Amino acid sequence: MTITYSCIANGRAVLAELSLTGGSYQEAAATVLRMVLLRAEPKTIMQMGSFVYHTLFIDGITYLCATDNALDTITPSAFLKNMQYNKNQGDSSISTLRSQVTEVKNIMSKNIDEILENEERLNIFTDKTNDLQTTAKESQKTRKILRRRWWKHFRKIIIITVVILLSIIIILLSTNVIPT
């Protein structure tokens, strides 16, 4: 009995694989992985074509191997357990990676929250700037209107002053107070 193919998968994503022969195992392995996920049983054995696929499903990770002998179940079982035990030796690195991924996700969430807060503050600042621009434009219009009114009023005062002065001069001339 020969183990011709083995792989480790997370869900349907193959993380590592090894093929000892030139056969194409990817399609059959994908089908087996799909079935393992549907069944969610710790151990399964499936025959596809001329190969028998043995799986060990632990904590969402599937250990799979293909053999060319349907009668031997001890060797593939031992092989899969050996793969699983080798995996546990590196478990601390996987848990370290998971904690780092969690930490990165938390930092990214915090950064996204800060970006949203900054965007909100920027929107408030933009609104205030627009309000100030509007107020400045209105203030300029008001100053122009006031300046025009002042000149109109000033012209009226000058015209009234000139009329009064001319009237006084005419009155004085007519009464002969001012010699001509």
Side-chain angles (χ1 to χ4, degrees):
M1 197 238 12
T2 305
I3 294 176
T4 57
Y5 174 78
S6 64
C7 76
I8 300 172
N10 184 1
R12 289 200 270 176
V14 175
L15 303 174
E17 65 182 338
L18 175 66
S19 175
L20 297 179
T21 62
S24 176
Y25 297 94
Q26 283 80 13
E27 286 183 33
T31 303
V32 171
L33 289 172
R34 204 169 33 250
M35 297 300 289
V36 166
L37 288 173
L38 289 173
R39 291 182 184 173
E41 295 176 5
K43 291 182 180 181
T44 56
I45 300 172
M46 293 181 203
Q47 175 138 13
M48 296 189 84
S50 60
F51 295 101
V52 178
Y53 291 86
H54 301 263
T55 64
L56 181 62
F57 182 70
I58 300 173
D59 294 330
I61 303 294
T62 304
Y63 305 90
L64 179 142
C65 70
T67 66
D68 56 3
N69 184 351
L71 299 177
D72 185 9
T73 59
I74 295 171
T75 306
S77 261
F79 178 77
L80 291 174
K81 284 182 183 176
N82 188 28
M83 285 175 69
Q84 198 263 331
Y85 291 135
N86 286 339
K87 182 250 178 201
N88 282 342
Q89 291 173 357
D91 214 15
S92 64
S93 64
I94 289 176
S95 63
T96 301
L97 285 174
R98 283 185 178 162
S99 68
Q100 287 175 345
V101 166
T102 303
E103 185 179 338
V104 168
K105 282 173 45 180
N106 290 339
I107 290 170
M108 288 176 67
S109 294
K110 182 180 174 185
N111 288 345
I112 288 171
D113 289 342
E114 287 177 6
I115 287 171
L116 292 175
E117 288 174 10
N118 288 342
E119 182 181 6
E120 186 176 321
R121 279 190 245 133
L122 182 62
N123 286 339
I124 291 170
F125 180 72
T126 304
D127 290 344
K128 286 184 179 180
T129 303
N130 290 339
D131 291 345
L132 283 174
Q133 285 177 338
T134 303
T135 303
K137 287 179 183 177
E138 289 173 359
S139 177
Q140 283 179 335
K141 287 179 184 178
T142 304
R143 270 185 280 156
K144 284 182 181 179
I145 291 170
L146 288 174
R147 193 175 301 131
R148 284 182 191 151
R149 285 184 183 170
W150 185 84
W151 277 110
K152 266 187 175 180
H153 184 69
F154 184 71
R155 277 186 255 154
K156 285 180 184 177
I157 290 174
I158 290 182
I159 290 173
I160 291 172
T161 305
V162 169
V163 167
I164 291 174
L165 284 175
L166 285 175
S167 299
I168 291 175
I169 292 175
I170 292 176
I171 291 175
L172 289 175
L173 282 174
S174 62
T175 58
N176 284 331
V177 174
I178 301 179
T180 51

